[in-house]
Amino acid sequence: MTLKPARLLMLLVAALALPALAQNLAVVNGKPVPSSRADAMVKQLAAQGQPDSPQLRAMVKEELINREILIQEADKQGLSSSADVKNQVEIARQSIAIRALVQDYLKKNPVKDAEIQAEYDKFKSQAGDKEYHARHILVEKEEDAKGIISKLKGGAKFEELAKQSKDPGSAANGGDLDWASPASFVKPFSDAMVALQKGQITETPVKTQYGFHVIKLEDVRAAKIPSLEEVKPQIAESLQQKKLQAFQEDLRKKAKIQ
């Protein structure tokens, strides 16, 4: 069977058009909707926990067709060229590009296990091997703190006097600070606290940037430090943020800002 020249030409044109058609999800009012756009949306949905499936792709196709219809109408009405829309588009473009930059930077500069181990060792050394259960009363003036110490020596209950504390978080609970490591407090406070014996109260007011403290040590115990595996995700996240902050600060130093 011999094909006529016209028929042969039509088949050749159709064959050449197939790759182009395969690249498009649909054509709306003559404007193609690329399949790559659907792939990008499916990828986003997969990251949110929706697995790729024929049903999902069918839904995505309909959504993208509807979007194309609506954007064409918005363009037709001139809304896409308004200053407000352009500003919002630019902000969205920046957000997407910055997110890609961050992902690329973290991929090229991953947090290493050795860095996590070093940070964990630092945390352990700062936390120490003991935890302290203390109470405190915080006041504005040193004279007031001295007066509280005198009343305590006279037999007054610490929990009752703690109601006048400037620290609202502990005042309503008898000045209780719960169990904590010395590193949890400012140095003058922690130094005075660790020098106490169980049940003892500071003989003189302890001055910090917050005011004057009267401290009572309730008890001491061995520190309960979580294992590396328990805190590894949090340490990795913290180190990632530090890397990104340093990256941003370095770029800002190099930038010419007028």
Side-chain angles (χ1 to χ4, degrees), residues 226-245:
S227 68
L228 174 60
E229 290 305 313
E230 289 177 303
V231 294
K232 190 173 182 178
Q234 294 92 322
I235 293 176
E237 174 67 21
S238 175
L239 290 174
Q240 276 189 347
Q241 293 304 315
K242 288 180 181 178
K243 283 177 179 283
L244 287 172
Q245 184 176 358

Side-chain angles (χ1 to χ4, degrees), residues 2-254:
T2 303
L3 293 174
K4 293 182 180 180
R7 175 63 175 165
L8 180 60
L9 180 61
M10 289 176 61
L11 290 173
L12 287 172
V13 171
L16 291 172
L18 282 174
L21 290 172
Q23 294 175 3
N24 296 327
L25 188 71
V27 178
V28 180
N29 296 326
K31 186 174 181 180
V33 179
S35 297
S36 58
R37 197 175 298 168
D39 293 335
M41 182 174 282
V42 169
K43 185 177 180 181
Q44 286 182 350
L45 293 171
Q48 297 171 13
Q50 297 189 49
D52 192 351
S53 68
Q55 293 80 7
L56 178 65
R57 287 192 171 270
M59 181 185 74
V60 166
K61 179 180 179 179
E62 290 304 310
E63 173 64 18
L64 290 176
I65 289 172
N66 288 335
R67 289 188 180 198
E68 184 59 39
I69 293 170
L70 292 172
I71 193 62
Q72 287 184 22
E73 181 61 24
D75 290 342
K76 182 179 177 181
Q77 295 185 24
L79 299 174
S80 300
S81 58
S82 70
D84 183 53
V85 170
K86 285 183 176 179
N87 285 331
Q88 291 185 56
V89 169
E90 177 57 20
I91 290 171
R93 185 195 70 82
Q94 288 181 356
S95 297
I96 294 168
I98 290 170
R99 185 162 58 247
L101 175 66
V102 167
Q103 291 173 347
D104 181 68
Y105 176 81
L106 292 176
K107 184 178 179 180
K108 294 176 180 176
N109 300 273
V111 175
K112 299 180 176 66
D113 286 342
E115 293 176 300
I116 295 175
Q117 182 68 57
E119 192 72 9
Y120 178 71
D121 292 341
K122 180 181 175 182
F123 160 73
K124 282 180 65 177
S125 65
Q126 289 178 343
D129 58 355
K130 292 180 181 179
E131 288 181 326
Y132 295 78
H133 181 194
R135 294 178 186 272
H136 84 137
I137 301 171
L138 175 63
V139 291
E140 189 77 36
K141 300 178 181 178
E142 185 176 11
E143 294 77 11
D144 293 337
K146 288 180 177 179
I148 290 170
I149 292 172
S150 296
K151 289 179 182 179
L152 290 170
K153 287 181 176 180
K157 290 186 177 181
F158 196 98
E159 291 81 352
E160 286 298 318
L161 295 180
K163 292 178 181 178
Q164 63 186 286
S165 177
K166 281 176 54 185
D167 178 10
S170 64
N173 198 27
D176 196 350
L177 295 172
D178 207 350
W179 290 97
S181 70
S184 302
F185 306 104
V186 292
K187 195 171 187 306
F189 188 101
S190 62
D191 288 347
M193 180 183 68
V194 301
L196 296 172
Q197 299 295 319
K198 286 196 294 184
Q200 190 178 4
I201 296 169
T202 47
E203 292 287 330
T204 57
V206 178
K207 184 181 179 181
T208 70
Q209 64 263 45
Y210 305 108
F212 291 88
H213 306 257
V214 178
I215 306 169
K216 179 182 179 182
L217 181 62
E218 294 286 359
D219 205 353
V220 183
R221 71 183 183 189
K224 297 179 180 178
I225 299 175
S227 68
L228 174 60
E229 290 305 313
E230 289 177 303
V231 294
K232 190 173 182 178
Q234 294 92 322
I235 293 176
E237 174 67 21
S238 175
L239 290 174
Q240 276 189 347
Q241 293 304 315
K242 288 180 181 178
K243 283 177 179 283
L244 287 172
Q245 184 176 358
F247 175 57
Q248 181 176 337
E249 289 174 355
D250 183 56
L251 289 175
R252 188 174 177 88
K253 287 177 183 177
K254 295 175 181 177

